[in-house]
Amino acid sequence: MSWQAYVDDHLMCEIDGQRLTSSAIVGHEGGVWAQSESFPQFKPEEITAILNDFAEPGSLAPTGLYLGNVKYMVIQGEPGAVIRGKKGSGGITIKKTNLALIIGIYGEPMTPGQCNVIVERLGDYLLEQGF
């Protein structure tokens, strides 16, 4: 299966009638493996800051998480495994695997929990596969 198929079929899928706004799989070196059409253009330093927070949980909390020049308030996640952010009625979930970041961005009416399920389910599967 191609990385784009993982984005199209597993991240941009419907859950309880809702879909993510955008999603991507980004390698730890910052290269995009696959993304949805609407995924924001991001800066390499934004990915570096996210990876630093996985290594040092809590490092993003004081400044916020930035992706595509959008600031998200960091909320509870799983240190070293999942970062969650909130912006207005939407937000972001990022799951770290051995080689990549699985990123999902959502807006109303999708709930944070629905986004978490989609992103973390794919991340857990890829971890089981060694990715």
Side-chain angles (χ1 to χ4, degrees):
M1 183 181 287
S2 75
W3 291 113
Q4 191 61 50
Y6 281 108
V7 168
D8 296 342
D9 300 341
H10 298 283
L11 291 175
M12 298 306 291
C13 63
E14 235 180 63
I15 182 169
D16 302 327
Q18 307 304 321
R19 289 181 190 274
L20 293 172
T21 309
S22 62
S23 63
I25 301 173
V26 178
H28 288 186
E29 75 295 334
V32 176
W33 293 7
Q35 65 183 24
S36 63
E37 277 185 41
S38 56
F39 194 75
Q41 187 69 39
F42 59 85
K43 298 177 188 165
E45 57 267 25
E46 293 172 333
I47 297 301
T48 300
I50 290 167
L51 285 167
N52 287 344
D53 193 78
F54 280 113
E56 299 171 35
S59 64
L60 283 177
T63 58
L65 181 159
Y66 285 85
L67 190 71
N69 280 331
V70 174
K71 181 180 179 180
Y72 297 89
M73 179 179 68
V74 178
I75 55 177
Q76 85 4 299
E78 296 169 33
V82 178
I83 297 172
R84 298 184 183 108
K86 189 95 174 107
K87 177 172 176 50
S89 59
I92 188 168
T93 301
I94 305 170
K95 171 79 175 184
K96 181 178 183 270
T97 70
N98 296 326
L99 303 174
L101 301 174
I102 314 304
I103 305 171
I105 300 173
Y106 69 95
E108 272 191 328
M110 180 173 258
T111 66
Q114 290 169 323
C115 179
N116 295 343
V117 165
I118 289 172
V119 171
E120 293 175 38
R121 185 173 50 197
L122 179 59
D124 289 342
Y125 171 77
L126 292 175
L127 277 167
E128 289 170 14
Q129 302 307 307
F131 291 104

